[in-house]
Short mmCIF file of all heavy atoms in Angstrom, two decimals:
data_model
loop_
_atom_site.label_atom_id
_atom_site.label_comp_id
_atom_site.label_asym_id
_atom_site.label_seq_id
_atom_site.Cartn_x
_atom_site.Cartn_y
_atom_site.Cartn_z
N THR A 179 5.45 0.65 -6.46
CA THR A 179 5.34 -0.29 -5.31
C THR A 179 6.78 -0.98 -5.18
O THR A 179 7.63 -1.04 -6.06
CB THR A 179 4.24 -1.42 -5.73
OG1 THR A 179 4.05 -2.11 -4.39
CG2 THR A 179 4.78 -2.43 -6.72
N ILE A 230 -2.82 1.04 -3.58
CA ILE A 230 -3.65 0.44 -4.65
C ILE A 230 -5.14 0.30 -4.07
O ILE A 230 -6.15 0.41 -4.73
CB ILE A 230 -3.11 -0.88 -5.22
CG1 ILE A 230 -3.88 -1.38 -6.37
CG2 ILE A 230 -3.07 -2.08 -4.10
CD1 ILE A 230 -3.77 -0.58 -7.50
N THR A 231 -5.20 -0.08 -2.75
CA THR A 231 -6.49 -0.28 -2.16
C THR A 231 -7.44 0.91 -2.28
O THR A 231 -8.65 0.86 -2.60
CB THR A 231 -6.43 -0.68 -0.70
OG1 THR A 231 -5.50 -2.02 -0.61
CG2 THR A 231 -7.71 -1.10 -0.03
N VAL A 306 -7.86 -6.38 4.30
CA VAL A 306 -6.95 -6.34 3.24
C VAL A 306 -5.52 -5.92 3.71
O VAL A 306 -5.44 -5.16 4.70
CB VAL A 306 -7.46 -5.31 2.22
CG1 VAL A 306 -7.63 -3.88 2.69
CG2 VAL A 306 -6.64 -5.38 0.91
N GLY A 307 -4.58 -6.37 2.96
CA GLY A 307 -3.22 -5.78 3.08
C GLY A 307 -2.21 -6.73 3.74
O GLY A 307 -1.01 -6.59 3.44
N GLU A 308 -2.71 -7.59 4.52
CA GLU A 308 -1.81 -8.51 5.31
C GLU A 308 -2.62 -9.71 5.90
O GLU A 308 -3.89 -9.60 5.77
CB GLU A 308 -1.08 -7.83 6.35
CG GLU A 308 -2.06 -6.93 7.24
CD GLU A 308 -1.56 -6.24 8.36
OE1 GLU A 308 -0.62 -6.83 9.01
OE2 GLU A 308 -2.04 -5.23 8.80
N PRO A 309 -1.98 -10.75 6.23
CA PRO A 309 -2.69 -11.86 6.82
C PRO A 309 -3.50 -11.32 8.13
O PRO A 309 -2.97 -10.57 8.84
CB PRO A 309 -1.69 -12.86 7.15
CG PRO A 309 -0.55 -12.60 6.40
CD PRO A 309 -0.55 -11.06 6.12
N ASP A 331 -12.05 -11.64 3.72
CA ASP A 331 -10.57 -11.45 3.78
C ASP A 331 -9.99 -11.50 2.32
O ASP A 331 -9.85 -12.61 1.76
CB ASP A 331 -10.05 -12.63 4.62
CG ASP A 331 -8.54 -12.62 4.76
OD1 ASP A 331 -7.85 -11.71 4.16
OD2 ASP A 331 -7.98 -13.43 5.53
N THR A 332 -9.61 -10.32 1.83
CA THR A 332 -9.45 -10.17 0.41
C THR A 332 -7.90 -10.20 0.10
O THR A 332 -7.23 -9.25 0.48
CB THR A 332 -10.01 -8.89 -0.17
OG1 THR A 332 -9.43 -7.79 0.56
CG2 THR A 332 -11.49 -8.84 0.02
N TRP A 333 -7.44 -11.21 -0.60
CA TRP A 333 -5.98 -11.26 -0.96
C TRP A 333 -5.89 -10.71 -2.47
O TRP A 333 -6.54 -11.10 -3.33
CB TRP A 333 -5.47 -12.65 -0.89
CG TRP A 333 -4.07 -12.66 -1.46
CD1 TRP A 333 -2.83 -12.24 -0.82
CD2 TRP A 333 -3.76 -12.85 -2.77
NE1 TRP A 333 -1.84 -12.27 -1.66
CE2 TRP A 333 -2.21 -12.55 -2.82
CE3 TRP A 333 -4.26 -13.27 -3.96
CZ2 TRP A 333 -1.52 -12.75 -4.07
CZ3 TRP A 333 -3.59 -13.29 -5.17
CH2 TRP A 333 -2.18 -13.02 -5.17
N TRP A 334 -4.95 -9.80 -2.55
CA TRP A 334 -4.61 -9.28 -3.97
C TRP A 334 -3.44 -8.32 -3.77
O TRP A 334 -2.81 -8.32 -2.64
CB TRP A 334 -5.75 -8.43 -4.56
CG TRP A 334 -6.33 -7.34 -3.75
CD1 TRP A 334 -6.87 -7.33 -2.43
CD2 TRP A 334 -6.35 -5.99 -4.15
NE1 TRP A 334 -7.16 -6.11 -2.06
CE2 TRP A 334 -6.87 -5.15 -3.17
CE3 TRP A 334 -5.92 -5.21 -5.25
CZ2 TRP A 334 -7.08 -3.83 -3.14
CZ3 TRP A 334 -6.14 -3.92 -5.36
CH2 TRP A 334 -6.57 -3.23 -4.32
N GLN A 335 -2.93 -7.74 -4.82
CA GLN A 335 -1.71 -6.90 -4.84
C GLN A 335 -1.84 -5.71 -5.79
O GLN A 335 -2.80 -5.68 -6.63
CB GLN A 335 -0.58 -7.78 -5.44
CG GLN A 335 -0.39 -9.18 -4.87
CD GLN A 335 0.59 -9.96 -5.39
OE1 GLN A 335 0.56 -10.27 -6.60
NE2 GLN A 335 1.77 -10.24 -4.66
N THR A 336 -0.94 -4.78 -5.77
CA THR A 336 -0.88 -3.73 -6.57
C THR A 336 -0.87 -4.24 -7.93
O THR A 336 -1.57 -3.67 -8.88
CB THR A 336 0.45 -2.89 -6.32
OG1 THR A 336 0.53 -2.42 -4.97
CG2 THR A 336 0.49 -1.70 -7.13
N GLU A 337 -0.23 -5.24 -8.19
CA GLU A 337 -0.04 -5.89 -9.65
C GLU A 337 -1.16 -6.38 -9.99
O GLU A 337 -1.31 -6.63 -11.28
CB GLU A 337 1.14 -6.82 -9.53
CG GLU A 337 2.51 -6.28 -9.28
CD GLU A 337 2.87 -6.23 -7.81
OE1 GLU A 337 1.93 -6.28 -6.91
OE2 GLU A 337 4.06 -6.11 -7.38
N ASP A 421 4.22 -14.39 -2.75
CA ASP A 421 3.70 -14.81 -1.45
C ASP A 421 3.71 -16.34 -1.35
O ASP A 421 3.64 -17.07 -2.28
CB ASP A 421 2.12 -14.50 -1.40
CG ASP A 421 2.01 -13.07 -0.99
OD1 ASP A 421 2.63 -12.60 -0.07
OD2 ASP A 421 1.13 -12.31 -1.66
N ILE A 433 -2.98 -17.22 3.03
CA ILE A 433 -1.81 -16.53 2.61
C ILE A 433 -0.88 -16.50 3.72
O ILE A 433 -1.30 -16.03 4.84
CB ILE A 433 -2.04 -15.14 1.96
CG1 ILE A 433 -3.10 -15.11 0.86
CG2 ILE A 433 -0.75 -14.66 1.37
CD1 ILE A 433 -3.15 -16.04 -0.24
N ARG A 436 5.05 -12.94 2.59
CA ARG A 436 6.09 -12.87 1.51
C ARG A 436 7.06 -13.95 1.63
O ARG A 436 7.59 -14.29 2.73
CB ARG A 436 6.62 -11.52 1.40
CG ARG A 436 5.59 -10.29 1.24
CD ARG A 436 4.91 -10.30 0.02
NE ARG A 436 5.91 -10.10 -1.30
CZ ARG A 436 5.47 -9.62 -2.30
NH1 ARG A 436 4.24 -9.21 -2.56
NH2 ARG A 436 6.32 -9.60 -3.36
N ASN A 442 5.99 -6.33 5.09
CA ASN A 442 4.53 -5.76 5.19
C ASN A 442 4.41 -5.19 6.55
O ASN A 442 4.15 -5.94 7.56
CB ASN A 442 3.67 -6.90 4.89
CG ASN A 442 2.20 -6.38 4.55
OD1 ASN A 442 1.78 -5.29 5.16
ND2 ASN A 442 1.44 -7.09 3.82
N ARG A 447 3.82 -1.92 2.05
CA ARG A 447 4.82 -2.68 1.39
C ARG A 447 6.08 -2.02 1.26
O ARG A 447 6.25 -0.91 0.73
CB ARG A 447 4.35 -3.09 -0.07
CG ARG A 447 4.45 -4.38 -0.56
CD ARG A 447 3.73 -4.57 -1.72
NE ARG A 447 4.67 -4.83 -2.87
CZ ARG A 447 4.44 -5.40 -4.05
NH1 ARG A 447 3.12 -5.51 -4.32
NH2 ARG A 447 5.29 -5.74 -4.86
C1 7RM B 25 -3.93 -4.97 -1.57
C2 7RM B 25 -2.42 -4.76 -1.22
C3 7RM B 25 0.42 -6.92 -1.58
C4 7RM B 25 0.91 -7.92 -0.49
C5 7RM B 25 0.63 -9.40 -0.90
C6 7RM B 25 0.48 -10.06 0.36
C7 7RM B 25 -0.09 -9.05 1.24
C8 7RM B 25 -2.58 -8.35 0.71
C9 7RM B 25 -3.62 -9.91 1.96
C10 7RM B 25 -2.24 -10.09 2.11
C11 7RM B 25 -2.66 -11.94 3.40
C12 7RM B 25 -4.51 -10.85 2.63
N1 7RM B 25 -1.52 -4.66 -2.24
N2 7RM B 25 -1.64 -9.14 1.36
N3 7RM B 25 -3.81 -8.84 1.05
N4 7RM B 25 -1.77 -11.13 2.78
N5 7RM B 25 -3.94 -11.83 3.28
N6 7RM B 25 -5.87 -10.68 2.55
O1 7RM B 25 -2.07 -4.90 0.00
O2 7RM B 25 0.67 -4.48 -3.26
O3 7RM B 25 0.35 -3.21 -1.27
O4 7RM B 25 0.62 -5.54 -1.07
O5 7RM B 25 0.14 -7.72 0.72
O6 7RM B 25 1.80 -10.38 0.93
O7 7RM B 25 1.70 -9.89 -1.89
S1 7RM B 25 0.07 -4.44 -2.03
#
Side-chain angles (χ1 to χ4, degrees):
T179 194
I230 191 69
T231 304
V306 60
E308 43 172 332
D331 176 358
T332 62
W333 174 83
W334 60 296
Q335 308 177 295
T336 306
E337 294 88 340
D421 281 317
I433 314 305
R436 302 288 304 198
N442 195 326
R447 223 171 117 166

